[in-house]
Structure formats: C-alpha cells, structure tokens
Amino acid sequence: MKIDRNVVEKIAHLARLDVENADESVADMNRILTFMEKLNELDTANVEPLVYLTDEVNAFRQDEIKQEITHEEALKNAPDADENFFKVAKVIEQ
C-alpha cells in the first residue's frame, strides 16, 4: 500500500490534526509502511506473544484516606462554583 497526499489529509482530518507539510508526512508514512512490510517477512510462528515488557509485578497497596477536606474547602479554589458544585464550560451540544 502506498500513502499519498489524499490519504495523509484524510487521516489528519479524522485525527483532527493540522498537518503543515503533507508531503513530508507522506514520505514518513511510506517509510513506516516499508518497515512494517519488512517485519511481516519474519517467521514468528514459534515466537510467544509479548504481553509485558518486564517480569516485574505491580505492588498493590490498600487505599488509605490521608486527609479529608470539607465540601467548602474543595469548592473554595474552584475557578467557578455555586454553593454545591464546580461549574465548568459546556462541552456537549444538543
């Protein structure tokens, strides 16, 4: 598969990216695809899938309440709040 300027512009639009130099992105993406094609040539039939990069195990701890703040203290430093809630800008249109 070859990447052209139209594909880069479509990907940029879908990802909501502003691509200033589409020609440079075309070259970069084609190099990535060439590398992936090289990797596909490898025989990985007997290779076990890598799930974790290290053998370390997460050390879980119990959640402990270290400091409680009051409702009023939580709202005190809010940029905008009423007596009970933080006020935030509307981000979903109906």
Side-chain angles (χ1 to χ4, degrees), residues 26-57:
V26 168
D28 288 343
M29 287 183 159
N30 279 315
R31 279 194 296 272
I32 291 169
L33 285 179
T34 301
F35 180 71
M36 295 306 296
E37 289 168 0
K38 270 288 210 212
L39 290 176
N40 285 335
E41 294 173 7
L42 295 174
D43 178 21
T44 59
N46 296 320
V47 177
E48 198 172 315
L50 179 64
V51 178
Y52 301 106
L53 296 178
T54 66
D55 292 331
E56 293 184 26
V57 179

Side-chain angles (χ1 to χ4, degrees), residues 54-72:
T54 66
D55 292 331
E56 293 184 26
V57 179
N58 286 339
F60 294 108
R61 61 173 172 77
Q62 292 295 322
D63 288 336
E64 298 174 8
I65 298 173
K66 298 198 184 238
Q67 177 184 0
E68 288 187 35
I69 60 173
T70 66
H71 193 79
E72 292 76 26

Side-chain angles (χ1 to χ4, degrees), residues 3-11 19-24 26:
I3 302 289
D4 61 15
R5 186 180 184 89
N6 291 334
V7 173
V8 169
E9 289 173 355
K10 183 174 182 178
I11 292 170
V19 177
E20 293 179 11
N21 190 347
D23 294 326
E24 187 176 311
V26 168

